[in-house]
């Protein structure tokens, strides 16, 4: 895959639309974006319904989305904490710091969402694309949990979460 494919998925300079093909190369995608000297990167999953009601071939699946986020996080947590801002990662850390989402949002969620063990980290189907990506988000939240706990604890001690990078080397 060449850089033209990555370029075609950039919505704005800092927004990457992640389709199934892109999701299969997370390390290359992240390094490509980092080479562009971006200080903030948003990843948006592409989820589209085909005419037959199934996911389109271009859509990212829940499993692919979870693998993609986890692989990106793996690089970020070792090399770029404090250097590159990824809103999903920051939002997840905020929840670990007990900065919760608005409870009024939860009233509009399905029973499945309200009973999900990972609900505190997401906004239900608003970010999980009608449940298609739930498994991927759950995978990412579980994968990142040990690192998030350490960053949360560092912050509680008035230390920088960037210290985690040195601990992982």
């Amino acid at each position: 895959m060449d850089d033209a494919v990555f370029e075609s998925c950039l919505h704005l300079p800092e927004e990457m639309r992640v389709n199934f093909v892109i999701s299969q190369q997370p390390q290359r995608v992240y390094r490509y974006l980092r080479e562009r000297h971006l200080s903030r990167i948003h990843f948006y999953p592409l989820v589209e319904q085909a005419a037959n009601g199934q996911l389109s071939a271009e859509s990212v699946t829940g499993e692919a989305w979870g693998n993609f986020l986890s692989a990106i996080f793996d690089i970020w947590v070792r090399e770029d904490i404090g250097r590159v801002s990824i809103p999903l990662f920051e939002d997840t850390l905020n929840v670990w710091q007990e900065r919760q989402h608005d409870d009024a949002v939860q009233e509009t969620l399905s029973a499945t969402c309200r009973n999900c063990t990972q609900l505190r980290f997401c906004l239900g189907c608003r970010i999980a694309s009608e449940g298609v990506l739930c498994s991927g988000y759950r995978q990412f939240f579980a994968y990142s949990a040990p690192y998030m706990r350490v960053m949360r604890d560092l912050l509680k001690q008035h230390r920088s979460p960037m210290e985690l990078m040195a601990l992982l080397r």
Side-chain angles (χ1 to χ4, degrees), residues 18 23 25-27 30 43 60-78 86 88-89 92 134-148 168:
V18 180
S23 75
Q25 303 213 16
Q27 294 86 355
Y30 188 72
F43 294 105
V60 67
T61 63
E63 180 182 2
W65 182 239
N67 290 339
F68 178 83
L69 291 175
S70 297
I72 297 287
F73 182 81
D74 234 8
I75 299 169
W76 178 84
V77 78
R78 286 170 170 71
I86 299 178
L88 176 62
F89 301 169
T92 303
C134 286
S135 64
Y137 279 110
R138 283 193 304 268
Q139 176 188 338
F140 166 71
F141 295 137
Y143 181 82
S144 65
Y147 305 99
M148 293 292 178
L168 294 173

Side-chain angles (χ1 to χ4, degrees), residues 75-94:
I75 299 169
W76 178 84
V77 78
R78 286 170 170 71
E79 300 174 14
D80 289 324
I81 296 172
R83 294 185 193 123
V84 177
S85 169
I86 299 178
L88 176 62
F89 301 169
E90 293 171 354
D91 292 346
T92 303
L93 181 57
N94 283 337

Side-chain angles (χ1 to χ4, degrees), residues 143-155:
Y143 181 82
S144 65
Y147 305 99
M148 293 292 178
R149 280 187 203 100
V150 171
M151 288 189 286
R152 175 204 58 203
D153 293 347
L154 287 167
L155 287 164

Side-chain angles (χ1 to χ4, degrees), residues 6-110:
F6 298 148
E7 195 68 35
S8 70
C9 291
L10 286 174
H11 181 63
L12 293 172
E14 72 281 352
E15 294 182 2
M16 172 65 77
R17 201 156 293 276
V18 180
N19 60 29
F20 187 79
V21 172
I22 293 292
S23 75
Q24 301 304 298
Q25 303 213 16
Q27 294 86 355
R28 283 195 61 208
V29 168
Y30 188 72
R31 297 207 189 285
Y32 168 79
L33 293 170
R34 206 171 54 185
E35 286 170 7
R36 296 174 59 101
H37 304 288
L38 299 175
S39 60
R40 187 168 180 84
I41 304 170
H42 294 264
F43 294 105
Y44 294 101
L46 177 67
V47 177
E48 296 176 331
Q49 212 172 40
N52 64 3
Q54 301 295 315
L55 280 183
S56 70
E58 295 82 24
S59 293
V60 67
T61 63
E63 180 182 2
W65 182 239
N67 290 339
F68 178 83
L69 291 175
S70 297
I72 297 287
F73 182 81
D74 234 8
I75 299 169
W76 178 84
V77 78
R78 286 170 170 71
E79 300 174 14
D80 289 324
I81 296 172
R83 294 185 193 123
V84 177
S85 169
I86 299 178
L88 176 62
F89 301 169
E90 293 171 354
D91 292 346
T92 303
L93 181 57
N94 283 337
V95 174
W96 277 99
Q97 290 179 268
E98 299 181 9
R99 296 181 193 154
Q100 299 292 326
H101 294 300
D102 183 5
D103 288 337
V105 170
Q106 292 189 16
E107 294 174 13
T108 64
L109 299 176
S110 69

